[in-house]
Amino acid sequence: MDLQINADEKEHKDDIKTAVVAIVGRPSVGKSTFINMVTGENVSIVSPVPQTTRNAIRGIVNTTQGQLVFVDTPGYHESDNKFNLKLKAITADQLEDADCILYIIDGSRPAGKEEDLTAALIAPYTAKTVVAINKIDLSATVPAAARKFVAKVFPSIPQERVIAISAKKDKGLNEILHALYGLAPSAPKLYPEEYYTDQEVSFRISEVIRGEAVNKLSQELPHAIYVDIADMEMKKQGKELWVRAFLCVERESQKGIVIGKGADMIKTIRIESIKKLRKIFPYRVDLNLQVKVVKNWRKNDRLLQSLTGQ
């Protein structure tokens, strides 16, 4: 994606716009795809499995107009289980603190109860909200129906802030950036221009591993996995990072699924993770990946707090 909004614009310190932008939407609307496209990097896991995002993931976009710090929040849906309540709390907290909100709607799906719940969450913040109707590249998408829904629930949002896009095909994303800069306050940049995320090394590694595991095991174990980075050590005079990590599951029966026949599955996850990690970091990454059982981890308050930051 070309992030240069206008090549003729000159950057003046007094004109710099900076905003923290919370991305909100129900599961699988394309939030992670959007943030990866606008940053030009794999900041957030993209998966067909709903609610793959568990944390508030930051992706940073620098243009001639300023800096937008996007926060990719977990997909918002209704459930009273402890794990989902943690994810909902992350989303609610980000809306309160954000300078702007980007509400992404999947135009290929009709609005239902989850969309109503998400809209109700955003309702107090419409003055700082831009709406993206995503997936216009799909034949099933009906932008007019999505616009009708937005007009009904958010009558105060002007039409110029309701934009049809394809995050996957990079269509309409510059228009989204323009609309967000229109709402952003004048302020110094929060991060140096070379930054595209503020994630720590260990977190980025764990997310890459988890992303590979989720996409390889989505039918068997969509949400029963987390990654524990046990050790990291820089070797060969800073040219190689050695990492020992565990793919953690809830039950013994799941362990064999992750390992696979002849250890084929765990080997595949390891190899594919290494390939991605070596593209991200300026040094080689060597990964020792194992599987362990942590019984009922999704009911462990302390562990959930460490995994979600809540």
Side-chain angles (χ1 to χ4, degrees):
M1 176 183 176
D2 182 6
L3 296 178
Q4 190 74 11
I5 299 297
N6 187 337
D8 295 326
E9 292 183 50
K10 292 183 179 180
E11 184 175 1
H12 298 287
K13 289 184 179 179
D14 293 340
D15 298 333
I16 290 296
K17 297 289 193 75
T18 298
V20 175
V21 183
I23 306 179
V24 184
R26 58 177 170 166
S28 302
V29 298
K31 299 185 298 299
S32 296
T33 300
F34 175 89
I35 203 169
N36 289 343
M37 183 62 77
V38 294
T39 61
E41 301 287 347
N42 289 322
V43 174
S44 192
I45 295 174
V46 175
S47 170
V49 179
Q51 287 197 302
T52 302
T53 300
R54 294 176 179 173
N55 306 72
I57 307 296
R58 285 180 173 83
I60 302 161
V61 173
N62 290 286
T63 73
T64 54
Q65 289 183 295
Q67 185 175 87
L68 298 174
V69 182
F70 288 96
V71 183
D72 182 11
T73 61
Y76 195 83
H77 86 126
E78 190 66 10
S79 171
D80 291 328
N81 71 63
K82 185 173 290 188
F83 187 45
N84 187 67
L85 291 174
K86 289 285 185 183
L87 301 185
K88 288 169 67 176
I90 293 171
T91 301
D93 288 347
Q94 292 302 321
L95 293 183
E96 179 72 28
D97 297 335
D99 298 300
C100 305
I101 294 169
L102 177 60
Y103 173 31
I104 299 183
I105 296 175
D106 182 347
S108 69
R109 291 188 287 169
K113 184 179 179 181
E114 286 185 345
E115 204 71 75
D116 290 336
L117 289 168
T118 307
L121 189 71
I122 295 168
Y125 310 105
T126 53
K128 61 179 183 179
T129 297
V130 171
V131 180
I133 300 171
N134 194 22
K135 304 187 181 181
I136 60 171
D137 53 299
L138 301 181
S139 59
T141 298
V142 185
R147 287 184 181 277
K148 185 177 180 180
F149 171 79
V150 173
K152 177 183 177 182
V153 296
F154 302 134
S156 63
I157 296 182
Q159 283 300 303
E160 58 266 27
R161 296 212 317 257
V162 182
I163 302 164
I165 70 167
S166 169
K168 185 177 181 180
K169 300 293 184 180
D170 190 10
K171 294 180 180 179
L173 302 195
N174 275 332
E175 288 81 354
I176 292 290
L177 298 184
H178 273 300
L180 290 169
Y181 277 122
L183 297 175
S186 296
K189 293 182 177 181
L190 297 173
Y191 297 92
E193 287 198 11
E194 65 271 19
Y195 279 41
Y196 62 85
T197 185
D198 66 351
Q199 298 169 7
E200 294 183 359
V201 171
S202 60
F203 179 78
R204 295 218 71 193
I205 292 172
S206 67
E207 285 292 274
V208 167
I209 297 169
R210 189 167 66 88
E212 289 302 313
V214 166
N215 285 319
K216 298 291 187 301
L217 299 163
S218 59
Q219 299 302 315
E220 293 89 356
L221 305 171
H223 292 300
I225 295 173
Y226 78 91
V227 177
D228 176 23
I229 304 295
D231 298 292
M232 294 197 306
E233 182 182 351
M234 191 63 76
K235 297 184 176 182
K236 298 181 180 179
Q237 297 180 328
K239 295 181 180 180
E240 179 178 298
L241 179 65
W242 176 83
V243 180
R244 183 163 64 98
F246 290 94
L247 272 170
C248 303
V249 295
E250 290 184 300
R251 299 189 297 273
E252 284 290 341
S253 59
Q254 296 168 339
K255 187 175 180 180
I257 296 172
V258 178
I259 294 173
K261 186 177 181 180
D264 283 349
M265 180 57 72
I266 191 66
K267 286 179 182 177
T268 298
I269 295 170
R270 175 182 175 273
I271 291 169
E272 293 304 314
S273 296
I274 288 174
K275 287 180 182 178
K276 285 195 173 181
L277 291 169
R278 289 181 178 177
K279 291 179 181 179
I280 292 173
F281 298 108
Y283 40 75
R284 287 176 57 86
V285 177
D286 189 20
L287 178 61
N288 179 328
L289 185 61
Q290 302 174 46
V291 184
K292 71 177 178 180
V293 177
V294 181
K295 292 184 178 180
N296 298 317
W297 66 263
R298 284 183 288 184
K299 297 180 180 178
N300 185 319
D301 287 330
R302 183 176 296 179
L303 180 56
L304 289 180
Q305 184 174 7
S306 69
L307 292 175
T308 64
Q310 293 290 311

